[in-house]
């Protein structure tokens, strides 16, 4: 008979007979020798389940779950080699802009930044031979659309192997499927709509190309980018309400836009074009340009507002208010912000699941007084 020390170490339930009604959290760093998971840095049942759902949502052949949206983007950068040439859109999330500029400078990669929301830039693309083109659509900020198929076709004219990478965070796979429009890789910050509850960070990559998937899978394993089982489990749970949250947030957004249009302190509302082809629907994030008086009183407004969270986060069940100038794009210099058109007057509003009337009253109350 083994001694108690050995018993304590080796007593293990055969959980396979339990048939749990939901997949439990596999809080294990390693698996038995006959397991396909092998080691939790390679894959876990929780990441595999999540990836299976994402593949179904996006009709993609492959999906990979990673620790954050930025690690998904970092993994894409790792596909580049010194001497390569990259194009990014000038309207882009602040940290993505920073990461691309830093990485390309450090690794001898030529980086071009063009406004891909403007068709005039297509001529400029044609003058170059890019190895990668990375953009968001709708863009953060301003929610402008970029024609994925068009940009892909133009980039591939001079280099058929040019990688087209779309950050689909703000559209989500429910409203837009970039792989159907000749994107090679799609990346997501799962911290936003996928989570929807501001309680977990995650990132995703999808592709239909076996060679790319294998490279990214290897990179995830050696680089240690994989999403931990608990976070995968939380996101998997959030996915059960993904569709319904988007629908509700979309409805609330339309109602709020209708009301905000009539407010004299709002100069402009930014909302994406739902063309029914590339972008088939949209969730709950908009930008508004407010007048100077609001900007001067912004800290007082944040003190007054009750139903909108003021921290870093968005696309969740509770509403949020943020100023890109001091928030998502704060790491950019004055010159870079001005080039992107980001002024202190630009405010991001994310609508959650609160009653739309309450949200409007709360905004009015905070902005008006
Ligand atoms: C469009 C976009 N992509 C990527 C990211 C980065 O994602 P994460 O914060 O999960 O690293 C963000 C974060 O706000 C984002 O807005």
């Amino acid at each position: 008979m083994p001694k108690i020390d050995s018993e304590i170490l080796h007593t293990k339930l055969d959980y396979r007979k339990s048939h749990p009604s939901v997949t439990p959290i596999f809080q294990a760093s390693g698996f038995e020798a006959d397991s396909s998971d092998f080691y939790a840095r390679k894959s876990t049942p929780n990441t595999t389940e999540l990836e299976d759902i994402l593949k179904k949502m996006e009709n993609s052949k492959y999906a990979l779950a990673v620790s954050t949206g930025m690690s998904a983007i970092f993994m894409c950068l790792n596909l580049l080699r010194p001497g390569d040439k990259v194009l990014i859109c000038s309207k882009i999330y602040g940290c993505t802009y920073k990461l691309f500029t830093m990485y390309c400078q450090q690794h001898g990669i030529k980086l071009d930044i063009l406004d891909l929301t403007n068709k005039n830039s297509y001529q400029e693309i044609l003058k170059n031979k890019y190895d990668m083109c990375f953009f968001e659509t709708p863009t953060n900020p301003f929610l402008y659309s970029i024609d994925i198929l068009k940009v892909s076709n133009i980039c591939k004219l001079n280099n058929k192997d040019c990688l087209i990478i779309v950050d689909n965070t703000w559209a989500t796979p429910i409203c837009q499927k970039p792989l159907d429009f000749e994107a090679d890789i799609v990346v997501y910050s799962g911290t936003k709509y996928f989570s929807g509850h501001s309680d977990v960070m995650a990132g995703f990559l999808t592709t239909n190309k076996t060679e790319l998937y294998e490279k990214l899978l290897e990179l995830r394993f050696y680089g240690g980018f994989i999403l931990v089982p608990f976070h995968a489990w939380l996101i998997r749970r959030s996915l059960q309400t993904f569709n319904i949250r988007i629908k509700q947030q979309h409805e609330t957004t339309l109602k709020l836009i209708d009301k905000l249009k009539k407010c004299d302190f709002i100069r402009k509302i930014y909302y994406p074009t739902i063309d029914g082809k590339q972008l088939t629907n949209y969730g709950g994030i908009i930008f508004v340009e407010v007048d100077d008086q609001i900007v001067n009183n912004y800290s007082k407004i944040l003190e007054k507002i009750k139903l909108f969270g003021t921290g870093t986060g968005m696309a969740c069940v509770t509403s949020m208010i943020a100023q890109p100038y001091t928030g998502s794009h704060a790491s950019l210099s004055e010159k870079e912000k001005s080039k992107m058109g980001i002024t202190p007057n630009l405010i991001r509003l994310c609508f959650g699941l609160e009653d739309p009337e309450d949200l409007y009253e709360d905004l009015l109350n905070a902005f008006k007084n």
Side-chain angles (χ1 to χ4, degrees):
M1 270 290 278
K3 307 265 183 315
I4 189 65
D5 281 356
S6 308
E7 286 287 8
I8 290 172
L9 289 169
H10 288 280
T11 301
K12 203 161 94 179
L13 175 82
D14 185 356
Y15 64 86
R16 284 167 299 187
K17 292 189 193 116
S18 305
H19 297 297
S21 49
V22 296
T23 308
I25 305 164
F26 283 77
Q27 190 59 40
S29 59
F31 302 86
E32 298 296 337
D34 60 350
S35 161
S36 61
D37 286 311
F38 171 63
Y39 191 41
R41 180 153 46 77
K42 178 177 168 269
S43 66
T44 68
N46 296 108
T47 50
T48 304
E49 182 175 281
L50 196 50
E51 288 157 3
D52 284 348
I53 300 170
L54 186 51
K55 281 189 276 184
K56 283 182 187 153
M57 279 199 293
E58 197 157 294
N59 303 327
S60 71
K61 233 168 150 174
Y62 306 106
L64 284 167
V66 295
S67 58
T68 67
M70 290 316 295
S71 39
I73 296 170
F74 189 82
M75 283 168 67
C76 293
L77 275 165
N78 224 277
L79 298 169
L80 292 164
R81 293 293 166 262
D84 279 354
K85 208 167 176 188
V86 180
L87 171 64
I88 62 169
C89 179
S90 56
K91 293 189 173 65
I92 203 158
Y93 172 50
C95 291
T96 306
Y97 175 88
K98 272 281 169 197
L99 181 64
F100 266 92
T101 47
M102 271 165 45
Y103 191 96
C104 290
Q105 207 173 24
Q106 283 165 6
H107 292 85
I109 294 159
K110 169 95 170 53
L111 176 68
D112 282 355
I113 303 171
L114 290 176
D115 184 1
L116 298 178
T117 68
N118 184 340
K119 291 190 172 94
N120 291 337
S121 63
Y122 293 174
Q123 282 306 320
E124 204 52 42
I125 303 178
L126 279 172
K127 291 183 199 156
N128 290 280
K129 191 174 169 215
Y130 291 111
D131 299 285
M132 179 184 286
C133 173
F134 184 104
F135 57 90
E136 301 159 1
T137 178
T139 58
N140 170 14
F142 302 117
L143 305 174
Y144 293 134
S145 293
I146 296 171
D147 186 332
I148 305 170
L149 185 63
K150 188 92 191 163
V151 170
S152 177
N153 284 341
I154 296 174
C155 286
K156 285 179 195 265
L157 269 180
N158 288 344
N159 179 11
K160 67 174 179 35
D161 296 324
C162 175
L163 288 179
I164 308 299
I165 306 180
V166 177
D167 183 335
N168 202 33
T169 299
W170 288 34
T172 83
I174 292 174
C175 307
Q176 183 171 267
K177 296 177 177 39
L179 295 178
D180 292 350
F181 298 91
E182 305 282 321
D184 297 293
I185 300 174
V186 180
V187 298
Y188 292 99
S189 165
T191 317
K192 312 289 152 31
Y193 285 106
F194 280 76
S195 153
H197 293 73
S198 294
D199 53 8
V200 60
M201 298 200 84
F204 300 104
L205 300 122
T206 61
T207 182
N208 284 330
K209 303 206 161 146
T210 307
E211 196 193 333
L212 279 176
Y213 169 70
E214 281 169 359
K215 275 189 192 165
L216 291 167
L217 183 67
E218 195 177 62
L219 192 58
R220 183 176 76 167
F221 179 53
Y222 294 122
F225 295 108
I226 194 167
L227 188 64
V228 295
F230 179 46
H231 291 186
W233 184 88
L234 277 172
I235 299 269
R236 195 269 167 267
R237 199 166 88 130
S238 288
L239 289 187
Q240 292 170 336
T241 55
F242 196 1
N243 211 4
I244 204 162
R245 279 187 280 115
I246 294 272
K247 268 191 199 146
Q248 189 60 44
Q249 283 168 317
H250 178 67
E251 256 178 51
T252 298
T253 302
L254 295 183
K255 281 185 189 153
L256 264 294
I257 286 177
D258 228 33
K259 288 177 185 292
L260 292 174
K261 265 200 282 199
K262 294 165 198 143
C263 294
D264 54 4
F265 53 85
I266 290 188
R267 291 186 196 152
K268 189 167 178 176
I269 297 177
Y270 295 92
Y271 182 72
T273 308
I274 300 173
D275 63 0
K277 199 173 157 232
Q278 183 180 293
L279 187 68
T280 53
N281 207 342
Y282 186 67
I285 307 174
I286 64 165
F287 289 90
V288 293
E289 205 178 288
V290 293
D291 66 24
D292 294 340
Q293 216 194 330
I294 302 272
V295 179
N296 297 336
N297 289 317
Y298 192 61
S299 49
K300 281 195 194 124
I301 288 170
L302 294 192
E303 277 170 29
K304 273 203 102 178
I305 207 150
K306 289 193 174 69
L307 298 180
F308 287 77
T310 59
T312 309
M314 64 184 113
C316 57
V317 290
T318 52
S319 294
M320 309 286 292
I321 182 167
Q323 188 184 35
Y325 191 84
T326 53
S328 59
H329 290 71
S331 56
L332 270 55
S333 67
E334 285 296 323
K335 202 172 152 202
E336 287 167 329
K337 279 192 260 202
S338 140
K339 248 182 135 180
M340 266 195 212
I342 298 172
T343 67
N345 298 65
L346 190 70
I347 302 292
R348 189 183 71 216
L349 295 173
C350 305
F351 303 117
L353 302 183
E354 300 90 343
D355 186 277
E357 285 288 336
D358 289 343
L359 288 178
Y360 178 61
E361 263 174 45
D362 193 38
L363 279 176
L364 213 58
N365 190 39
F367 279 47
K368 271 280 194 191
N369 297 294

